[in-house]
């Protein structure tokens, strides 16, 4: 009998059953990889890492292989996560995200996988060393055409610098006058024009930053977690000190339950 003759309910149950089976098999894979890692098979086979060895043996992409190996190592001391996966109760993506959270928060079933990943990202520490490395990796490349009639720009900024640049360009772009026909151009055109306007201006607008601090997380980690700018990026202790010194800053401190503190 083909799937076309199955009821929708049966198809759904079959899909869920197959996913549970896949979760159980992945739990077995993690246990096998753990044993192979202890035997140093990657080095014995001339591979640079266990992830490279896994990608070649399982015919998976490097991202999948790295996720398997990372999760195997992170859950070696988290038997509750291995058990949840082995039971088919949760999928690998949830366990991989949960393994990035140092403390045991359960399975966070009130969140979907994207929500769990966000919780993991919010709890990842940003040390002074990490901030120094990120700041050192910033770059900007300007490449003119042969006749210099066109320029290409690309690069990368740390979270705080990117937020300041984005906020400044957005606010400047919003002040640009409309075209004679009443249109304003798309956002990328307006930001490109705003960049030129900011560079020409003798009085660039000061950075005005809104910051949210989770008192529970920030206090427990020395400011390495729990500090987020209104525009989205998380920052660490060094950037926090720089902002407090150099920018016009609005600070909202929240309690453990997200309630603003007076």
């Amino acid at each position: 009998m083909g799937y076309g003759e199955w009821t929708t309910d049966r198809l759904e149950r079959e899909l869920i059953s197959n996913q549970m089976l896949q979760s159980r098999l992945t739990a077995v894979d993690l246990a096998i990889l753990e044993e192979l890692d202890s035997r140093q098979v990657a080095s014995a086979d001339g591979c640079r890492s266990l992830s490279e060895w896994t990608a070649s043996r399982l015919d998976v992409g490097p991202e999948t292989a790295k996720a398997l190996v990372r999760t195997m190592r992170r859950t070696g001391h988290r038997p509750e996560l291995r058990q949840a996966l082995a039971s088919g109760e949760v999928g690998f993506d949830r366990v991989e995200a949960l393994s990035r959270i140092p403390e045991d928060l359960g399975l966070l079933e009130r969140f979907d996988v994207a929500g769990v990943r966000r919780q993991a990202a919010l709890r990842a520490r940003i040390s002074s060393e990490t901030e120094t490395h990120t700041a050192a990796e910033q770059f900007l490349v300007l490449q003119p055409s042969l006749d210099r009639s066109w320029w290409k720009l690309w690069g990368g900024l740390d979270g705080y610098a990117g937020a300041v640049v984005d906020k400044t360009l957005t606010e400047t772009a919003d002040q640009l006058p409309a075209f004679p026909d009443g249109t304003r151009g798309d956002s990328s055109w307006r930001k490109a024009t705003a960049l030129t306007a900011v560079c020409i201006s003798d009085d660039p607008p000061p950075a005005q930053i809104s910051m949210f601090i989770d008192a529970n997380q920030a206090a427990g980690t020395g400011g390495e977690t729990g500090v987020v700018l209104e525009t989205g990026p998380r920052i660490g202790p060094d950037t926090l000190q720089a902002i407090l010194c150099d920018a016009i800053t609005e600070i909202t401190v929240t309690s453990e339950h997200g309630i603003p503190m007076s």
Side-chain angles (χ1 to χ4, degrees):
M1 181 172 62
Y3 290 130
E5 300 178 29
W6 287 26
T7 65
T8 300
D9 182 62
R10 183 181 177 186
L11 288 169
E12 183 179 340
R13 285 187 283 108
E14 183 72 9
L15 192 64
I16 293 173
S17 177
N18 290 341
Q19 184 60 43
M20 292 177 66
L21 176 60
Q22 191 171 37
S23 295
R24 296 188 185 107
L25 291 175
T26 303
V28 175
D29 287 345
L30 295 183
I32 293 174
L33 279 173
E34 190 169 36
E35 178 60 28
L36 290 171
D37 192 26
S38 69
R39 298 185 187 187
Q40 299 184 341
V41 294
S43 299
D45 286 349
C47 294
R48 291 173 296 180
S49 66
L50 183 61
S51 296
E52 183 181 276
W53 184 92
T54 301
S56 65
R57 292 301 186 276
L58 301 187
D59 191 31
V60 297
E63 298 81 9
T64 301
K66 288 178 182 178
L68 282 168
V69 172
R70 282 198 306 262
T71 305
M72 175 271 291
R73 289 174 174 159
R74 288 172 179 158
T75 58
H77 62 287
R78 303 281 296 276
E80 75 284 357
L81 295 182
R82 290 277 186 96
Q83 180 56 41
L85 188 64
S87 68
E89 183 180 357
V90 296
F92 173 75
D93 287 349
R94 179 176 293 272
V95 169
E96 188 275 332
L98 288 168
S99 72
R100 289 186 253 149
I101 301 176
E103 62 267 36
D104 181 8
L105 300 179
L107 299 180
L108 294 181
E109 293 168 313
R110 65 185 183 279
F111 297 108
D112 59 10
V113 172
V116 178
R117 287 173 173 165
R118 175 166 176 76
Q119 291 300 311
L122 289 173
R123 286 169 170 77
R125 293 198 177 196
I126 303 178
S127 65
S128 296
E129 291 77 12
T130 301
E131 287 187 296
T132 300
H133 175 74
T134 303
E137 291 296 309
Q138 295 183 116
F139 71 100
L140 176 63
V141 177
L142 291 82
Q143 183 182 58
S145 61
L146 291 176
D147 63 357
R148 305 179 78 85
S149 63
W150 179 256
W151 289 72
K152 291 175 63 177
L153 287 73
W154 70 92
L157 299 170
D158 64 46
Y160 170 60
V164 170
V165 170
D166 181 59
K167 184 178 180 65
T168 301
L169 293 182
T170 299
E171 292 178 350
T172 304
D174 288 343
Q175 298 171 12
L176 295 174
F179 296 135
D181 63 0
T183 62
R184 298 179 55 82
D186 61 28
S187 61
S188 60
W189 181 90
R190 292 199 304 274
K191 283 190 175 181
T193 305
L195 176 60
T196 305
V198 169
C199 293
I200 293 175
S201 173
D202 293 330
D203 185 23
Q208 299 183 8
I209 303 297
S210 295
M211 184 189 314
F212 299 91
I213 300 178
D214 184 316
N216 185 52
Q217 289 192 41
T221 64
E224 291 186 357
T225 66
V227 186
V228 184
L229 302 185
E230 180 186 29
T231 48
R234 298 172 54 244
I235 59 173
D238 287 356
T239 304
L240 173 60
Q241 292 184 32
I243 292 174
L244 294 177
C245 290
D246 300 333
I248 300 173
T249 311
E250 178 185 26
I251 301 175
T252 301
V253 181
T254 59
S255 68
E256 181 180 1
H257 303 292
I259 302 173
M261 300 172 64
S262 60

